[in-house]
């Protein structure tokens, strides 16, 4: 990952969502992106030029655009029409983003457009976040990584975030090894970034 001093940046064309630039790089703000927060807190996984990424919960392409600055291809899944319009505009200006309008609960609908990926990144803020991740493991190479941004309040706003996290972790550990966990304070409240590695062979 590229840092100028302690500022996280990415190396693509600017002007995507009004982000600042620094020495020709795009500033990647941890308050606007959970993935940037994870890197800023010292966690995460280096994004490299040969990587293929499945991104679930692309929204309007803010974080997608930074990921695309680092990797080979981003398959960006979003189901809401309004953010999808913005995502299409972002994808128009970058050759390596494949926008997919689909429900991440129904991976069979986008399986025909997919190839095996090195990283599944998920930020969907849904009650069944772990289940969605499990359904999409079919696309993840053995040894590949899952980064799940767990929004505990979306699972159950009345329960203790730590308890929600422990349950999610146990679910993920049925298929994956959890290699890092970071709570994203002070950038994003009640969010845990869970970084996992896939074991075994392709499904
Ligand atoms: N990752 C984005 C970023 O950093 O710029 C922000 C994502 S926002 C918190 C969550 C997004 O996930 C919303 O745009 C929502 O429409 C989308 N989403 C939620 N459930 C989904 C699903 N089942 N399939 C596809 N997209 C979903």
């Amino acid at each position: 990952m590229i840092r100028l001093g302690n500022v996280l940046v990415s190396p693509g064309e600017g002007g995507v969502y009004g982000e600042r630039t620094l020495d020709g790089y795009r500033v990647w703000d941890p308050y606007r992106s959970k993935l940037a927060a994870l890197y800023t807190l010292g966690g995460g996984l280096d994004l490299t030029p040969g990587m293929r990424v499945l991104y679930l919960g692309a929204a309007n392409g803010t974080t997608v655009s930074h990921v695309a600055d680092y990797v080979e291809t981003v398959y960006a899944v979003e189901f809401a029409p309004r953010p999808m319009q913005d995502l299409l505009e972002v994808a128009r200006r970058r050759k390596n983003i494949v926008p997919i309008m689909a429900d991440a609960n129904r991976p069979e609908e986008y399986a025909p457009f997919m190839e095996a990926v090195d990283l599944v990144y998920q930020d969907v803020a849904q009650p069944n976040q772990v289940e969605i991740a499990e359904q999409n493991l079919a696309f993840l190479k053995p040894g590949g990584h899952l980064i799940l941004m767990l929004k505990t309040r979306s699972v159950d706003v009345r329960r203790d975030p730590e308890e929600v996290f422990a349950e999610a972790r146990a679910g993920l550990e049925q298929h994956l090894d959890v290699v890092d966990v970071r709570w994203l304070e002070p950038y994003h409240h009640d969010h845990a970034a869970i970084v996992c590695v896939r074991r075994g062979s392709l499904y």
Side-chain angles (χ1 to χ4, degrees):
M1 307 307 295
I2 305 169
R3 289 181 177 79
L4 300 177
N6 57 3
V7 180
L8 180 69
V9 296
S10 71
E13 186 195 344
V16 177
Y17 59 94
E19 73 279 21
R20 287 191 303 123
T21 55
L22 195 60
D23 292 348
Y25 289 90
R26 303 174 62 219
V27 172
W28 193 357
D29 182 350
Y31 286 99
R32 296 193 66 164
S33 165
K34 283 155 223 146
L35 187 54
L38 176 60
Y39 288 122
T40 303
L41 292 165
L45 161 81
D46 256 5
L47 300 173
T48 56
M51 282 175 88
R52 292 168 188 164
V53 179
L54 172 59
Y55 191 124
L56 304 170
N60 48 15
T62 303
T63 300
V64 169
S65 68
H66 287 287
V67 174
D69 287 345
Y70 279 101
V71 306
E72 184 180 295
T73 311
V74 184
Y75 296 91
V77 176
E78 171 57 52
F79 72 174
R82 181 65 194 87
M84 191 66 194
Q85 283 177 17
D86 293 341
L87 177 65
L88 287 173
E89 185 55 27
V90 173
R92 203 176 59 76
R93 293 173 53 187
R94 276 173 167 68
K95 300 263 176 285
N96 62 342
I97 298 174
V98 182
I100 299 173
M101 188 162 177
D103 184 342
N105 285 291
R106 305 182 70 88
E108 68 278 7
E109 290 185 357
Y110 45 91
F113 313 114
M114 289 294 305
E115 58 189 333
V117 298
D118 306 284
L119 170 65
V120 175
Y121 176 76
Q122 180 179 309
D123 180 18
V124 295
Q126 291 287 351
N128 66 333
Q129 289 161 78
V130 170
E131 195 186 320
I132 290 175
E134 284 167 358
Q135 287 170 335
N136 283 274
L137 289 181
F139 302 115
L140 185 61
K141 292 176 186 170
H145 287 75
L146 165 74
I147 301 179
L148 172 63
M149 293 300 176
L150 180 75
K151 184 174 182 181
T152 57
R153 293 169 66 83
S154 296
V155 176
D156 190 336
V157 70
R158 292 157 304 182
R159 282 173 63 199
D160 176 13
E162 289 283 355
E163 194 183 301
V164 173
F165 162 72
E167 192 176 279
R169 178 178 184 147
L172 292 169
E173 282 179 333
Q174 291 183 27
H175 313 276
L176 303 152
D177 294 323
V178 173
V179 293
D180 192 22
V181 174
R182 313 248 169 179
W183 290 89
L184 298 182
E185 303 289 343
Y187 304 107
H188 302 271
H189 304 306
D190 294 330
H191 277 86
I194 310 177
V195 183
C196 314
V197 177
R198 164 123 192 242
R199 0 174 232 263
S201 55
L202 272 177
Y203 283 28

